[in-house]
Structures are given as structure tokens and as C-alpha cells.
Amino acid sequence: MKKLILLLFILLSFAGKSQSLDSSFIDEINMVRTDPKSLKSFMLSYISTRVEYTKGDGLLALNEALNFLDTVTPVRKLSFSNDIYKALGDHKGIDTIKVTFRHDYKCLGRIRKYDNKVKFTAENYILVNKREIKKNFGMKILLCHFIIDLYVKDRGHRNTIFNKEYTLTAVKFINVKNEIYLVQEFAGY
């Protein structure tokens, strides 16, 4: 019984932080969309010391990201969309048996259920390192992973983040068994 109460307490404390985590991540996205170079110093000082970014493909991806931040054109801020947030609740990419999360490729249909004027949509997601989101710069760290995009060959996450066609977004932290995924969906008219 004590273990169950402790587990419920942990889940409730994370759920209480989730809304602020969502908006914190959107704030970070908007900061880098409007001022791409603002993330460079953090990327150089903190992220560049992480083992996966010190050699090979990781170092290449990091250097590409730094160059990208130097050359990408700033775009306007994204607005939070409650309709997209509701649509995230309808996501079909959650597999509790395999404990995975995947794209369901029905982003447009799910969002149009709540906002039928939407024309363009996209989705980014990442498996969250729980220790990272507890740190002071947790949302900035997650954003760096999206911008560096080490495990995505076409660097699609960063391209989505800086796509000027997207004007709306919502973010949700989704718990799948003991794993947490950060899911962000984008939309435009």
C-alpha cells in the first residue's frame, strides 16, 4: 500500500509540473525561432560536453546544428493551440505493450477534428531523459536534442521547428509505462 501511495504521489507531482513544463518548452521553442543564435552559447557550453556529441556522427550533427543556427532565418513565434492540445490526447502512436511511442501519421486528421481550417501539420517527439527535465535547463536541453537531431538523417525536427508555415503548437509529456515522451505538434493555415 505504501508503494502504491508513493507511486501516486510521484505521478501527481509530475502531472502538476507537466503544464508548466509544456509552456516552458514552448517558450524555449519561441526563443530559438525568433533568435536562432541565442541557443548557440548553451549548445557550445553544455551540450558539446555530452559524450554522444564529442565524436563521429554526434560531433558532425552538433556542428551542423551550430551552423544551422548561424544561417537559418528567424521566424515568428508559435501560438499555443488548445485544439492541438486536445488532438494530442487522441494520439494513436502509444504502444504500452512494447513501451514505445511512434508517429501515427494522422496528425492532420486529429487536429482537424478540433480545428477544421488547419492545412499543414507536423509532429516532433523525443524520448525524455528524466534526469534532464529536472535540471535547471531541462527544456533547453531537450530543445538542443531536437535541433541537433542526431538520430534523424534529414534533420527533420529542426526543419519543422523553423518552418514559417507553422503558426500554432501544443506540447504534451506522455507517460508510457515508465518512459516519458515529449510530443509537439505544429499546425498552420
Side-chain angles (χ1 to χ4, degrees):
M1 185 66 174
K2 286 182 181 181
K3 287 182 180 180
L4 178 62
I5 291 171
L6 179 61
L7 177 63
L8 285 172
F9 177 75
I10 291 169
L11 289 173
L12 287 173
S13 9
F14 184 76
K17 291 180 180 178
S18 182
Q19 189 61 26
S20 65
L21 291 176
D22 297 349
S23 61
S24 294
F25 189 75
I26 292 171
D27 289 346
E28 291 295 337
I29 289 279
N30 281 329
M31 179 268 313
V32 77
R33 275 177 62 100
T34 59
D35 184 8
K37 292 179 184 179
S38 65
L39 190 60
K40 278 189 69 176
S41 64
F42 181 77
M43 207 178 270
L44 283 166
S45 65
Y46 179 81
I47 295 298
S48 65
T49 63
R50 296 179 55 111
V51 173
E52 67 266 36
Y53 301 130
T54 58
K55 60 186 173 200
D57 290 341
L59 183 58
L60 176 66
L62 173 64
N63 287 330
E64 282 178 15
L66 292 166
N67 185 50
F68 178 84
L69 292 172
D70 273 337
T71 59
V72 69
T73 303
V75 292
R76 67 182 171 182
K77 290 182 178 183
L78 296 163
S79 298
F80 171 79
S81 167
N82 198 48
D83 292 333
I84 296 175
Y85 190 79
K86 286 187 242 178
L88 278 165
D90 298 339
H91 203 287
K92 303 290 185 222
I94 301 166
D95 185 337
T96 55
I97 294 168
K98 293 181 181 175
V99 191
T100 61
F101 185 93
R102 67 187 186 291
H103 291 291
D104 70 355
Y105 300 103
K106 298 187 178 168
C107 191
L108 181 62
R110 282 187 291 102
I111 294 171
R112 279 193 173 163
K113 178 179 168 185
Y114 301 98
D115 181 349
N116 63 6
K117 295 176 186 160
V118 166
K119 291 184 181 172
F120 315 103
T121 60
E123 176 179 270
N124 284 345
Y125 74 88
I126 192 170
L127 178 63
V128 173
N129 178 322
K130 294 174 194 170
R131 290 184 308 264
E132 288 182 340
I133 62 172
K134 292 179 182 179
K135 292 182 179 182
N136 287 341
F137 300 109
M139 297 304 107
K140 197 176 289 277
I141 294 167
L142 292 175
L143 177 58
C144 285
H145 291 312
F146 274 129
I147 301 292
I148 296 169
D149 232 357
L150 175 58
Y151 302 109
V152 180
K153 288 185 183 185
D154 69 353
R155 310 298 189 224
H157 290 137
R158 78 168 74 128
N159 294 327
T160 300
I161 288 169
F162 284 94
N163 187 326
K164 66 181 179 183
E165 300 296 321
Y166 300 127
T167 57
L168 304 168
T169 194
V171 173
K172 196 170 203 174
F173 286 84
I174 297 177
N175 196 356
V176 182
K177 296 273 182 175
N178 200 26
E179 302 290 346
I180 298 168
Y181 291 85
L182 165 60
V183 184
Q184 181 177 31
E185 291 192 345
F186 302 82
Y189 298 112

